[in-house]
Amino acid sequence: MVGKRIIAICQSGGEFESNAEGILSYRGGDAHAMEIDDKMKFKDFKLEVAEMFSCNLSTLAIKYFLPGNKKTLISISNDKDLKCMIKFHDDSDTAEIYVMTEEITAPDVSQMLGSRSSRTTLSEADVPVDASPSLVENIVGDINKPDILLGADFDVVGDTNHVEAQTMVPSEMPISISFTASYDEKHTKAAQQWQNNITGVGQRFNSVHEFREALRKYAIAHQFAFKYKKNDSHRVTVKCKAEGCQWRIHASRLSTTPLICIKKMNPTHTCEGSVLATGYQATRSWVASIIKEKLKVFPNYKPKDIVNDIKQEYGVQLNYFQAWRGKEIAKEQLQGSYKEAYSQLPLFCEKIMETNRGSLATFTTKEDSSFHRLFVSFHSCLYGFEQGCRPLLFLDSIFLKSKYQGSLLAATAADGDDGFFPVAFAIVDMESDDNWHWFLQQLKTALPMCHGLTIVADREKGLRESIAEIFQNEDVYHAFCLRYLSEQLLRDLNGQYSHEVKKLMVEDLRSAAQASMPEGFQRHVESIKSISVEAYNWVMQSEPVHWANAFFQGARYNHMTSDFGEQFYSWVSDAHELPITRMVDAIRNRIMELIYSRHTQSLEWLTPTLTPSMDERIRLTPSMEERLEQESLKIRTPPQVLILGSNRFEFRGDTIETVDVESCDCSCRGWRLTGLPCFHAIAVIGCLNRELRDYCSRYFTIDSYRITYSQSVNPITSIDDTWQKDTSELAVTVTPPPTRRPPGRPTTKQVSSQDVGRRQLQCSRCKGTGHNKSTCKEFLLEC
């Protein structure tokens, strides 16, 4: 498939001009156009540009502006940068590229205002303005910890409770390329643009936050570290961190205005400084401000890539944890606070039920007011299931890899075209019998009419007891998930069996489950018995009445496993790192899109131009029409059909079967198991010259499918300052759960010295390490 293509308008030989607002414009020079796509390599792109303008490859620099941002030039220096540029211009057919040459010289230190001759460390412990109290405590507390690599000292005036939160959100993300000099002399264009952020006495800033931001960038550009002597909401006094250096600056608020003005400044450094082994050490908030815009486009931006990019683009050396913490702060600024999201749950549930009448959204907390569980089911999902779907639910769960971990429990259904349909879900602190019991209680409340319902779920004891207890007065059937059953069988077997033998036992178990008659079931379990008597006894004691078609009393429509809603769980995986309210809203948005797209698609299945006879032929959904056609092909020779009664017939072919067209049943049980006529019934109905689709389950019709997707999901009122004001007035307080994902990379197993050099076990089948083919788990996927 052809990737994104854009026309690159390459310009060279002109000059940049800046207006009063700092917006750059390009004047003069030559321009050429070339077509590029996301498959092009940077070296090929650079070579073509060099040939286009007859430039030297070693001094060539290629830059561009982000769409809507004419203040900061972005450099293209590798394949990744080129792909980013194309991605940023995804909504445009053209991109303006600026080609320039750079001299390979170190910056003239003597010409820099207040510059330093060597690198030291940038200093300041910043707190985002929307940070939660716990985040403020963590950051302030980290200042004095020796293992936290902050740039320099943070002088706190008075009690730490009065430390002012600082904003680290730039209007754009500056990215540029370093000079090709020695590492200690590297400066990027972005950093050089900050050299005049501080001009001297009399310079004014709109707020103290703006002044601190300008000072921080000024220090990076001039390669020196500073520390605060005074730092509050109306005055800031800063001195060079080097002992005895005379550089200092003082700014304070102009009376009766919010403006901050530089009152005193000594721009001269008298220190020589010393080169640090690690180079610059930036604050987490500074890192957040740099990567924030890029994180919007690339949510999976990895800390190791952040380390590499900032080193390359700014000459600033970070460690992994600084990059990780900076990413966490940037995510919170983009997505909102996790703590605030939990506090918004009471109002959030009210808004769901207010904007989507008939929905159910409820939550519970523990005794300490910490979050316990949240249940959500939208009216459109409940209506679609009750009116258009088969009475069949699939229960499953997925672990959430979010900041506070937890699990998501879900109930999904099958629509008339055998696509998954979300019905309800819950976010809980952990998967447990108690939480499953609560989830089923809420599900019963949302679906009061449960007669004839079949629930496909794990045979785990707690879940089995909860289904039996909650739906005890209803005609509800619990069908064991065959996937979990197969896994449990292999775990419980004591003998050592090869991979091939285990695979055979699983295949026989599935064949036994799908057999429609007791004779077929017995034949397959006898095959298991010939392999292992222990396995045979386990199968017979596993209550086949709950999982074998030959004995199961409910209607599972040949769906044997509970992982039917796999696409739904992929949605959850995409949103699991969002705060809880935004995660739910992201799922709601996916459900809204699913309902709209499938409803629109169904309108194309029938059109007014079709004749009535054609309309009859396509009354079923496409997948069911295909299955019906495949079943009809099984009639190889004209069968003999005998009348046994008013609506009972005998089919004579390879086998002899009895068909009852009134009760939609055949002695082969295929009709009852699938909801579609088996080929015996198709032959009988054909002999009667009746419409075949009149004998198919109503759940497979286009009408039922459209009813399933007839109700839309309405947006929830946006989460803004009004929500924060309203939540402060609520009596119910919800705090984050105590469970929390540890920061940084997951811990890895330590290898002892005696294990070094030892041969590691490798599977001959999947080539994985740590196991052999007899214990390989992959074979279940092949069965």
Side-chain angles (χ1 to χ4, degrees):
M1 184 176 67
V2 179
K4 170 67 177 178
R5 291 179 178 271
I6 62 174
I7 302 299
I9 303 174
C10 305
Q11 304 176 66
S12 180
E15 293 182 350
F16 283 102
E17 298 178 358
S18 176
N19 62 14
E21 298 178 354
I23 297 176
L24 299 175
S25 58
Y26 198 74
R27 296 287 185 271
D30 298 326
H32 297 274
M34 61 181 291
E35 186 179 60
I36 60 176
D37 58 32
D38 53 10
K39 304 297 182 184
M40 176 173 278
K41 298 294 185 182
F42 172 70
K43 63 179 181 180
D44 299 330
F45 175 62
K46 186 175 182 180
L47 181 61
E48 189 168 343
V49 170
E51 293 176 352
M52 185 183 294
F53 293 103
S54 300
C55 297
N56 190 337
L57 273 175
S58 61
T59 60
L60 184 67
I62 304 174
K63 303 177 184 294
Y64 68 97
F65 287 116
L66 287 173
N69 179 356
K70 291 289 187 177
K71 293 184 178 181
T72 304
L73 283 168
I74 310 300
S75 295
I76 305 176
S77 56
N78 52 41
D79 291 340
K80 183 178 178 181
D81 292 342
L82 183 59
K83 290 182 182 295
C84 288
M85 188 273 292
I86 296 173
K87 175 71 175 178
F88 293 147
H89 290 82
D90 195 47
D91 295 332
S92 177
D93 294 327
T94 62
E96 293 187 356
I97 304 297
Y98 304 98
V99 182
M100 54 195 74
T101 58
E102 293 179 343
E103 296 181 2
I104 310 179
T105 57
D108 186 358
V109 177
S110 63
Q111 299 300 319
M112 295 183 182
L113 177 63
S115 65
R116 291 282 297 274
S117 60
S118 62
R119 286 185 184 274
T120 54
T121 306
L122 178 65
S123 165
E124 187 174 346
D126 298 300
V127 184
V129 71
D130 59 343
S132 63
S134 61
L135 181 60
V136 176
E137 292 171 5
N138 290 339
I139 295 178
V140 175
D142 286 344
I143 294 169
N144 297 318
K145 293 182 181 179
D147 58 332
I148 303 298
L149 296 177
L150 292 173
D153 299 333
F154 187 104
D155 290 356
V156 181
V157 181
D159 185 52
T160 56
N161 292 331
H162 296 93
V163 177
E164 183 179 356
Q166 302 174 28
T167 305
M168 292 298 300
V169 186
S171 59
E172 66 278 332
M173 185 182 72
I175 302 176
S176 59
I177 187 170
S178 301
F179 285 122
T180 53
S182 65
Y183 176 74
D184 286 341
E185 295 174 341
K186 275 184 181 177
H187 270 283
T188 63
K189 286 296 183 184
Q192 288 185 351
Q193 292 176 8
W194 300 337
Q195 290 179 0
N196 295 323
N197 274 16
I198 303 295
T199 58
V201 175
Q203 185 179 3
R204 298 179 182 181
F205 301 86
N206 292 326
S207 66
V208 69
H209 308 294
E210 183 180 317
F211 171 68
R212 293 193 192 106
E213 178 69 13
L215 182 61
R216 184 179 303 105
K217 293 179 178 179
Y218 176 82
I220 291 176
H222 294 289
Q223 299 179 288
F224 73 94
F226 60 83
K227 63 180 179 180
Y228 290 99
K229 299 302 292 181
K230 295 178 181 178
N231 183 29
D232 53 44
S233 60
H234 61 280
R235 60 180 179 176
V236 177
T237 302
V238 176
K239 61 177 289 187
C240 178
K241 188 182 179 184
E243 189 69 29
C245 182
Q246 297 301 309
W247 185 94
R248 62 184 60 239
I249 189 171
H250 172 77
S252 60
R253 182 176 296 173
L254 293 175
S255 58
T256 69
T257 73
L259 299 178
I260 296 293
C261 179
I262 298 177
K263 302 293 183 64
K264 298 179 182 179
M265 181 178 179
N266 184 347
T268 305
H269 282 280
T270 58
C271 58
E272 295 181 357
S274 60
V275 178
L276 297 179
T278 57
Y280 281 116
Q281 297 176 17
T283 64
R284 293 163 292 185
S285 295
W286 180 83
V287 175
S289 69
I290 296 299
I291 68 172
K292 184 176 178 181
E293 294 299 322
K294 196 168 186 178
L295 198 61
K296 284 183 181 179
V297 183
F298 302 102
N300 296 323
Y301 197 15
K302 296 180 179 179
K304 66 178 182 179
D305 294 330
I306 295 174
V307 172
N308 295 335
D309 290 349
I310 289 185
K311 180 180 178 180
Q312 176 186 356
E313 297 164 0
Y314 291 89
V316 177
Q317 179 65 56
L318 305 176
N319 61 39
Y320 179 90
F321 290 100
Q322 284 175 309
W324 183 87
R325 292 185 180 107
K327 179 182 176 181
E328 290 296 302
I329 292 175
K331 283 169 54 179
E332 187 160 313
Q333 292 174 353
L334 292 171
Q335 302 168 357
S337 166
Y338 283 89
K339 186 174 181 180
E340 289 178 0
Y342 283 107
S343 68
Q344 292 167 350
L345 275 182
L347 187 59
F348 184 70
C349 291
E350 290 182 11
K351 294 293 184 181
I352 289 176
M353 293 187 288
E354 178 183 312
T355 55
N356 293 269
R357 297 290 183 181
S359 301
L360 178 60
T362 184
F363 70 97
T364 64
T365 59
K366 297 181 179 179
E367 293 181 356
D368 60 355
S369 296
S370 63
F371 172 79
H372 192 189
R373 48 206 177 192
L374 166 70
F375 178 91
V376 177
S377 184
F378 295 100
H379 168 71
S380 59
C381 298
L382 296 173
Y383 180 87
F385 173 71
E386 290 181 314
Q387 303 298 323
C389 291
R390 287 159 272 181
L392 177 66
L393 283 178
F394 304 88
L395 302 185
D396 213 341
S397 64
I398 183 174
F399 179 74
L400 299 176
K401 299 177 183 178
S402 61
K403 184 174 183 178
Y404 292 96
Q405 299 182 338
S407 293
L408 183 137
L409 316 179
T412 56
D415 64 24
D417 202 40
D418 242 11
F420 93 97
F421 182 73
V423 177
F425 63 92
I427 299 172
V428 297
D429 58 346
M430 62 183 295
E431 184 177 4
S432 64
D433 295 344
D434 179 56
N435 282 334
W436 269 118
H437 188 274
W438 180 82
F439 175 77
L440 291 172
Q441 284 181 325
Q442 307 311 312
L443 189 62
K444 176 68 164 32
T445 302
L447 298 171
M449 303 298 292
C450 301
H451 183 75
L453 178 65
T454 295
I455 299 177
V456 183
D458 189 8
R459 68 187 289 262
E460 190 268 334
K461 183 179 179 181
L463 188 56
R464 180 172 52 184
E465 292 177 348
S466 295
I467 293 175
E469 176 186 341
I470 294 172
F471 299 99
Q472 59 182 339
N473 296 325
E474 304 286 344
D475 190 14
V476 174
Y477 304 93
H478 181 189
F480 293 166
C481 171
L482 193 58
R483 177 171 61 90
Y484 287 122
L485 195 71
S486 302
E487 293 173 354
Q488 189 65 46
L489 167 63
L490 298 181
R491 284 196 298 266
D492 291 347
L493 290 179
N494 295 323
Q496 295 296 323
Y497 302 97
S498 67
H499 167 71
E500 289 77 13
V501 171
K502 289 181 177 180
K503 185 175 181 180
L504 286 174
M505 285 193 290
V506 171
E507 288 176 350
D508 285 332
L509 179 66
R510 295 191 174 185
S511 297
Q514 293 172 344
S516 59
M517 303 298 290
E519 297 80 8
F521 171 84
Q522 192 61 38
R523 183 171 61 254
H524 291 295
V525 295
E526 287 294 336
S527 178
I528 296 176
K529 186 177 182 180
S530 65
I531 299 174
S532 168
V533 176
E534 179 189 6
Y536 170 80
N537 293 333
W538 188 96
V539 169
M540 299 307 293
Q541 294 171 9
S542 63
E543 303 177 85
V545 70
H546 284 288
W547 55 268
N549 280 340
F551 310 108
F552 186 65
Q553 298 299 308
R556 62 192 298 169
Y557 295 88
N558 242 9
H559 284 286
M560 310 305 291
T561 60
S562 61
D563 56 352
F564 183 74
E566 199 168 315
Q567 185 179 347
F568 177 78
Y569 298 108
S570 69
W571 293 352
V572 178
S573 297
D574 293 340
H576 67 87
E577 289 195 353
L578 295 174
I580 186 168
T581 52
R582 294 188 180 273
M583 183 196 306
V584 173
D585 196 49
I587 296 173
R588 178 207 61 79
N589 190 60
R590 289 295 192 98
I591 295 175
M592 178 180 68
E593 292 174 351
L594 179 79
I595 290 176
Y596 174 78
S597 62
R598 289 188 175 174
H599 177 73
T600 304
Q601 182 186 36
S602 71
L603 297 178
E604 300 175 359
W605 294 344
L606 287 176
T607 62
T609 58
L610 294 176
T611 62
S613 59
M614 294 176 66
D615 181 80
E616 288 293 318
R617 289 200 301 270
I618 57 173
R619 273 175 36 196
L620 302 184
T621 59
S623 67
M624 296 305 163
E625 284 284 349
E626 183 179 352
R627 291 185 189 180
L628 199 61
E629 183 179 351
Q630 291 174 352
E631 191 68 21
S632 301
L633 295 176
K634 294 180 182 180
I635 308 175
R636 298 172 184 173
T637 58
Q640 183 180 6
V641 177
L642 303 178
I643 301 176
L644 300 180
S646 58
N647 288 299
R648 295 177 69 249
F649 302 85
E650 184 176 282
F651 171 95
R652 288 180 177 269
D654 295 338
T655 60
I656 299 177
E657 305 292 348
T658 301
V659 178
D660 189 334
V661 294
E662 183 67 25
S663 59
C664 297
D665 195 12
C666 177
S667 56
C668 74
R669 301 192 75 242
W671 196 351
R672 185 175 295 275
L673 289 174
T674 63
L676 292 173
C678 59
F679 71 93
H680 313 116
I682 292 174
V684 172
I685 295 171
C687 291
L688 296 175
N689 199 25
R690 296 180 183 178
E691 172 52 48
L692 180 59
R693 288 151 191 82
D694 288 338
Y695 292 91
C696 298
S697 171
R698 71 174 183 86
Y699 300 113
F700 300 151
T701 63
I702 293 177
D703 286 342
S704 291
Y705 185 91
R706 288 179 176 170
I707 291 173
T708 302
Y709 296 101
S710 61
Q711 302 291 310
S712 61
V713 181
N714 298 322
I716 305 171
T717 307
S718 60
I719 303 171
D720 52 17
D721 295 336
T722 305
W723 278 51
Q724 296 177 8
K725 180 180 178 181
D726 292 343
T727 53
S728 63
E729 301 173 358
L730 294 175
V732 180
T733 301
V734 185
T735 60
T739 308
R740 182 173 177 177
R741 183 186 66 195
R745 291 172 176 165
T747 56
T748 56
K749 183 179 180 181
Q750 297 293 326
V751 180
S752 62
S753 58
Q754 62 183 1
D755 290 333
V756 177
R758 180 179 295 178
R759 181 177 177 271
Q760 194 170 15
L761 195 64
Q762 185 179 33
C763 176
S764 61
R765 180 188 171 280
C766 70
K767 307 305 179 185
T769 58
H771 66 277
N772 56 26
K773 67 177 183 179
S774 64
T775 57
C776 182
K777 298 180 179 179
E778 295 293 328
F779 79 94
L780 282 175
L781 300 177
E782 297 181 355
C783 297

